[in-house]
Amino acid sequence: MPPVSSARFAIGDIVKHRLFDFRGVIFDVDPVFANSDEWYESIPEDVRPAKDQPFYHLLAENDNSTYIAYVSQQNLVVDETDEPVDHPAISGLFEHYSGGRYKLKPLHRH
């Protein structure tokens, strides 16, 4: 079994994509790739990330819309804007925004 990388980010952290213009709040983490092969193969080969790293589920936003994104650790960096994310699903998962991150509601903690 290949080694598993440690997650660099946590649930509630606000991150932005390293290559594309969007940001979001992390609401789940997979220790390694856990999406479909079809999804993975749709990524152009020259930018396709390795599967043996954490992948993050984000409530994401860009200038045009909000959506859910699935992003490899290598493609995320800390968002340093200190601005909350404007996604309609945030209030269902998180209590509030403070200190650059969101606090998960107790109902959703493991």
Side-chain angles (χ1 to χ4, degrees):
M1 177 180 259
V4 176
S5 300
S6 295
R8 209 177 292 149
F9 305 106
I11 292 173
D13 286 352
I14 298 177
V15 293
K16 65 181 183 177
H17 198 282
R18 185 174 60 84
L19 302 173
F20 302 115
D21 190 24
F22 71 88
R23 62 195 288 270
V25 58
I26 296 169
F27 70 91
D28 198 10
V29 183
D30 294 332
V32 294
F33 178 79
N35 206 332
S36 70
D37 288 333
E38 179 181 66
W39 182 91
Y40 186 76
E41 306 230 348
S42 73
I43 301 169
E45 195 170 343
D46 61 326
V47 294
R48 193 176 296 156
K51 289 183 174 183
D52 63 344
Q53 62 181 310
F55 276 73
Y56 299 84
H57 300 260
L58 307 177
L59 297 176
E61 67 176 1
N62 62 27
D63 289 340
N64 302 316
S65 65
T66 60
Y67 51 95
I68 293 177
Y70 190 65
V71 185
S72 64
Q73 181 162 276
Q74 76 185 53
N75 284 321
L76 291 176
V77 295
V78 173
D79 180 90
E80 296 180 355
T81 63
D82 200 30
E83 295 290 325
V85 173
D86 185 22
H87 193 287
I90 286 177
S91 64
L93 295 172
F94 297 98
E95 287 184 346
H96 63 276
Y97 174 78
S98 176
R101 62 185 327 268
Y102 284 89
K103 182 178 179 190
L104 192 63
K105 287 185 175 181
L107 174 66
H108 298 288
R109 292 186 183 171
H110 295 278

